Amino acid sequence: MFEVGELIMCGGHGVCRVTAITGNPIDKLDKKRKYYILEPVFEKGSTIYTPVDNDKIIMRKIMNEKDAKKLIDKIPEIETVWIKEEKTREQMYKEAIRTYDCQSLVQIIKTLYLRKQDRVQQGKKVLSSDEHYLKKAEELLYSEMSLALSIPKDSVEEYIADEIHKNYK
């Protein structure tokens, strides 16, 4: 169980703060089931109610600074993956995004970034589906890393690039 005030990743909503743990907000007669009241950190004005025992939505604590720095150190070793069959590729992207697995998100970002560069060099358009999954993976990873590293979200990409450059000189 998460504590009030904790930052968590919550399926479909990204980084959220647990603002309360309460009884069933809809069925007041249901005295058994507890609910988290979550507030998305980067989406102001929203409130999410989800059962504490919800096994359909992935919820986990966000990474800490040490984990974020370890992940950055590993980025050069994380292999890209390109699946030719579009539906299979899209399923892989959806699964990584659904589970919020940071290493898989890095894999998607690296793969699609390189594919984007390659297509542009060939004078081809970037596929809208590639662009969509690249943006979604970056949003999820950079949101979590910005909080773990205590830096603005729009500085995360540059921070990662600087750290990789520093370590591989």
Side-chain angles (χ1 to χ4, degrees), residues 87-100:
K87 287 198 184 295
T88 307
R89 184 175 66 243
E90 205 165 318
Q91 272 310 116
M92 186 200 93
Y93 295 161
K94 283 179 182 176
E95 183 62 18
I97 288 167
R98 188 187 73 75
T99 61
Y100 293 114

Side-chain angles (χ1 to χ4, degrees), residues 9-141:
M9 292 300 288
C10 178
H13 304 286
V15 180
C16 295
R17 182 177 312 280
V18 178
T19 59
I21 300 169
T22 186
N24 190 328
I26 297 159
D27 183 0
K28 304 289 184 205
L29 299 176
D30 179 6
K31 302 290 183 201
K32 292 180 185 169
R33 203 157 195 205
K34 294 283 182 202
Y35 279 71
Y36 290 121
I37 299 178
L38 306 173
E39 188 176 284
V41 173
F42 295 101
E43 195 181 302
K44 298 297 179 203
S46 296
T47 302
I48 299 152
Y49 298 90
T50 187
V52 168
D53 61 355
N54 189 341
D55 59 357
K56 290 182 177 96
I57 295 176
I58 291 177
M59 291 185 280
R60 65 164 174 80
K61 289 183 182 183
I62 67 164
M63 69 175 97
N64 60 32
E65 182 180 10
K66 183 180 170 187
D67 293 335
K69 288 183 175 183
K70 261 200 258 188
L71 179 64
I72 292 169
D73 289 343
K74 259 173 82 172
I75 287 174
E77 300 159 18
I78 296 173
E79 299 214 5
T80 60
V81 60
W82 185 252
I83 300 166
K84 205 167 186 84
E85 190 351 80
E86 191 174 341
K87 287 198 184 295
T88 307
R89 184 175 66 243
E90 205 165 318
Q91 272 310 116
M92 186 200 93
Y93 295 161
K94 283 179 182 176
E95 183 62 18
I97 288 167
R98 188 187 73 75
T99 61
Y100 293 114
D101 177 70
C102 294
Q103 192 163 320
S104 295
L105 293 173
V106 168
Q107 193 173 42
I108 290 170
I109 292 166
K110 280 182 70 172
T111 299
L112 292 176
Y113 177 79
L114 292 172
R115 177 163 164 83
K116 181 178 182 177
Q117 282 186 317
D118 187 48
R119 288 186 69 84
V120 168
Q121 283 177 349
Q122 292 177 26
K124 295 180 180 178
K125 283 185 169 182
V126 177
L127 299 177
S128 63
S129 61
D130 286 358
E131 199 65 44
H132 168 77
Y133 287 110
L134 176 61
K135 283 183 180 161
K136 186 69 175 166
E138 286 176 333
E139 172 66 26
L140 292 172
L141 185 67

Side-chain angles (χ1 to χ4, degrees), residues 137-159:
E138 286 176 333
E139 172 66 26
L140 292 172
L141 185 67
Y142 297 168
S143 295
E144 184 171 2
M145 290 191 101
S146 77
L147 295 167
L149 297 167
S150 301
I151 60 175
K153 185 169 65 170
D154 59 3
S155 300
V156 171
E157 185 174 7
E158 184 180 347
Y159 177 88

